[in-house]
């Protein structure tokens, strides 16, 4: 494409994992939580989560959500409480677990589920709440204090942290020590992109052990299915790519943060924030997947996206339409979704990929300025 694509995924080059592939050929083990997978999981626990908790790889975050929800949901209960401002995979995972999504509004500033509204809803739904599934919006280091309390009080929490692998905050990596489940995506379009893949983390080792078993047909040690599982394992090929990516990740993250910083600089220079553009109030250092921003209140994001497209700049409006606006999910319950609906008219996701140049960022920002 002439012009600027929205994303230009760059999974690590094969030269960096040829040694791992040779090891795989020597071992004759190609899947089933093989040696490369074990090495990757061990390295993630030790290096990323500083020897705290446990992880299991999954073939994508959607499977990870399904497994985590199905293993921890309260039996007999009906609802999975979640924001509508998330990717379709979140409510889909709940449906696959036999639950109904129940959509909750987000907060104006951090675009994460509004905890006050959630609290009221939990109060009124009582025993019907099966699980709560917050989304750490766009990789933010969401404060999990409230959710840890919920989880401790017997309301299971599974965090959709699809874009948060590599997000570091005051207590280390996002999710570290949290005893619910945290689900990360390694899809090619995510910052830790390996093609297809994902990871479930928990500060509770037993919970990960259950998910590992569930991801391998619910087998006991004697290969007898003892509960409803499926196959969510990654192959050793995928583990090889993941291992090589781990080594390269600090540079990838730095490149993404640099581009995000350039957007902020050029938005500031062109006085865009005075004009009513708003960025997410996020926490922590984030390996940004793209640059998300709200356009001024008197504009519509789709018009701006169209204007950019007419100048060969590709953009998106993640996550608009919000889930409750999708045909499949429109029949499910929600309380007021006013903030979600307002943000859905303003959210714009701008290009971000590792080899972008400052000129690209400058050109995009100036195009946006010229529209006004
Ligand atoms: C990408 C994404 C997913 C799905 O991840 P897969 O690995 O592609 O299944 C789920 N939730 C959110 C919020 C995402 O951004």
């Amino acid at each position: 494409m002439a012009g600027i694509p929205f994303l230009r995924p760059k999974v690590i080059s094969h030269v960096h994992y040829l040694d791992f592939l040779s090891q795989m050929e020597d071992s004759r083990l190609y899947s089933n939580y093989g040696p490369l997978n074990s090495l990757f999981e061990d390295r993630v626990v030790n290096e990323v989560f500083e020897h705290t908790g446990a992880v299991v790889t999954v073939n994508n975050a959607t499977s990870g959500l399904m497994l985590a929800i199905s293993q921890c949901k309260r039996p007999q209960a009906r609802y999975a409480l979640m924001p509508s401002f998330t990717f379709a995979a979140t409510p889909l995972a709940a449906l696959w677990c036999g639950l109904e999504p129940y959509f909750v509004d987000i907060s104006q500033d951090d675009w994460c589920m509004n905890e006050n509204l959630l609290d009221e809803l939990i109060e009124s739904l009582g025993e019907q709440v099966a699980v709560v599934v917050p989304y750490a919006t766009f990789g933010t280091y969401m404060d999990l204090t409230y959710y840890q309390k919920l989880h401790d009080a017997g309301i299971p929490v599974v965090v959709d942290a699809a874009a948060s692998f590599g997000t570091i905050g005051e207590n280390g990596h996002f999710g570290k020590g949290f005893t619910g489940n945290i689900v990360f995506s390694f899809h090619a379009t995510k910052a830790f992109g390996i093609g297809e893949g994902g990871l479930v983390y928990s500060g509770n080792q037993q919970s990960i052990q259950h998910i590992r078993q569930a991801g391998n047909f619910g087998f006991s040690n004697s290969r007898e299915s003892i509960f409803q599982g499926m196959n969510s394992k990654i192959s050793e090929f995928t583990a090889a790519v993941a291992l090589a990516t781990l080594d390269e990740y600090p540079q990838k993250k730095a490149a993404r943060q640099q581009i995000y910083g350039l957007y902020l600089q050029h938005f500031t220079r062109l006085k865009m924030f005075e004009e009513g553009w708003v960025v997410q109030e996020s926490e922590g250092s984030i390996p940004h997947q793209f640059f998300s921003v709200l356009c001024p209140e008197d504009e519509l994001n789709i018009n701006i996206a169209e204007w950019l497209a007419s100048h060969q700049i590709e953009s998106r409006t993640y996550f608009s339409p919000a889930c409750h606006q999708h045909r499949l999910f429109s029949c499910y319950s929600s309380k007021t979704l006013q903030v979600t609906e307002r943000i859905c008219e303003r959210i714009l996701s701008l290009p971000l990929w590792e080899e972008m140049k400052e000129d690209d960022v400058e050109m995009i920002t100036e195009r946006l300025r010229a529209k006004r």
Side-chain angles (χ1 to χ4, degrees):
M1 167 188 175
I4 306 178
F6 173 57
L7 296 181
R8 222 171 149 231
K10 188 165 194 272
V11 172
I12 193 150
S13 164
H14 65 280
V15 300
H16 298 291
Y17 55 83
L18 286 178
D19 280 353
F20 291 125
L21 294 183
S22 301
Q23 289 176 38
M24 178 187 76
E25 288 179 354
D26 292 342
S27 75
R28 303 281 191 99
L29 295 167
Y30 303 98
S31 183
N32 290 8
Y33 306 125
L36 295 177
N37 182 74
S38 298
L39 180 59
F40 177 68
E41 289 180 349
D42 289 347
R43 283 194 57 190
V44 169
V45 170
N46 296 336
E47 297 167 27
V48 178
F49 291 100
E50 300 168 287
H51 306 273
T52 307
V55 300
V56 59
T57 53
V58 283
N59 55 357
N60 57 62
T62 309
S63 304
L65 288 165
M66 287 165 61
L67 288 169
I69 293 171
S70 69
Q71 290 315 301
C72 73
K73 69 179 176 147
R74 289 151 113 194
Q76 322 297 337
R78 180 170 174 191
Y79 296 117
L81 279 40
M82 63 180 65
S84 175
F85 193 70
T86 180
F87 185 57
T90 327
L92 282 173
L95 289 181
W96 278 105
C97 295
L99 300 175
E100 293 178 31
Y102 198 126
F103 297 116
V104 180
D105 210 356
I106 51 174
S107 301
Q108 180 72 45
D109 301 326
D110 66 3
W111 310 345
C112 292
M113 191 151 55
N114 183 320
E115 292 173 8
N116 296 325
L117 296 176
L118 181 60
D119 222 38
E120 284 170 22
L121 191 60
I122 290 172
E123 185 77 21
S124 71
L125 293 176
E127 295 295 305
Q128 297 184 85
V129 178
V131 62
V132 174
V133 193
Y135 165 42
T137 307
F138 302 139
T140 190
Y141 189 84
M142 187 173 70
D143 185 352
L144 293 174
T145 314
Y146 170 75
Y147 291 108
Q148 184 65 64
K149 275 194 208 138
L150 270 191
H151 194 80
D152 293 343
I155 299 171
V157 176
V158 174
V159 183
D160 184 335
S164 300
F165 193 74
T167 293
I168 310 286
E170 53 188 16
N171 292 317
H173 194 281
F174 177 70
K176 194 182 98 184
F178 183 72
T179 55
N181 291 301
I182 313 256
V183 182
F184 302 97
S185 172
F186 297 162
H187 189 264
T189 55
K190 302 293 201 280
F192 194 93
I194 62 172
E196 289 278 0
L199 187 84
V200 186
Y201 169 85
S202 179
N204 177 343
Q205 308 213 357
Q206 218 174 5
S207 159
I208 292 301
Q209 189 47 40
H210 274 123
I211 292 173
R212 183 183 302 284
Q213 219 178 331
N216 189 33
F217 312 103
F219 275 167
S220 67
N221 288 338
S222 56
R223 298 179 61 77
E224 179 193 0
S225 283
I226 52 174
F227 56 89
Q228 185 182 337
M230 64 168 172
N231 180 1
S232 66
K233 292 164 294 176
I234 63 170
S235 76
E236 290 283 277
F237 289 91
T238 296
V241 183
L243 277 166
T245 305
L246 209 50
D247 292 324
E248 201 80 355
Y249 201 41
Q251 288 91 288
K252 288 169 88 72
K253 176 176 170 178
R256 289 175 173 276
Q257 288 193 297
Q258 199 218 345
I259 297 156
Y260 193 90
L262 287 171
Y263 270 113
L264 293 181
Q265 272 177 35
H266 285 281
F267 266 66
T268 305
R269 180 177 64 81
L270 294 174
K271 305 212 172 358
M272 307 282 278
F273 298 122
E274 282 95 319
E275 286 275 316
W277 294 81
V278 177
V279 287
Q280 179 187 14
E281 224 168 69
S282 60
E283 296 290 331
S285 80
I286 303 170
H288 295 281
Q289 195 187 354
F290 34 74
F291 182 79
S292 293
V293 62
L294 302 184
C295 67
E297 295 209 39
D298 57 354
E299 292 265 11
L300 263 185
N301 51 2
I302 47 176
N303 294 341
I304 297 177
E306 217 169 274
W307 158 263
L308 289 176
S310 72
H311 291 90
Q312 281 70 53
I313 298 166
E314 201 181 20
S315 64
R316 295 282 189 274
T317 57
Y318 294 145
F319 291 102
S320 176
C323 289
H324 75 285
Q325 296 164 330
H326 290 221
R327 186 158 28 137
L328 178 66
F329 307 122
S330 60
C331 59
Y332 294 106
S333 307
S334 65
K335 287 269 189 274
T336 164
L337 293 169
Q338 270 176 327
V339 177
T340 302
E341 289 182 354
R342 265 314 279 142
I343 284 181
C344 281
E345 291 173 344
R346 294 177 63 195
I347 190 87
L348 193 66
S349 314
L350 297 174
L352 200 163
W353 30 276
E354 286 154 35
E355 300 130 302
M356 260 176 98
K357 299 278 179 284
E358 177 156 11
D359 285 355
D360 299 323
V361 175
E362 192 171 352
M363 209 245 275
I364 294 166
T365 318
E366 278 169 359
R367 275 287 168 237
L368 289 173
R369 188 78 185 75
K371 166 85 170 63
R372 303 274 296 162

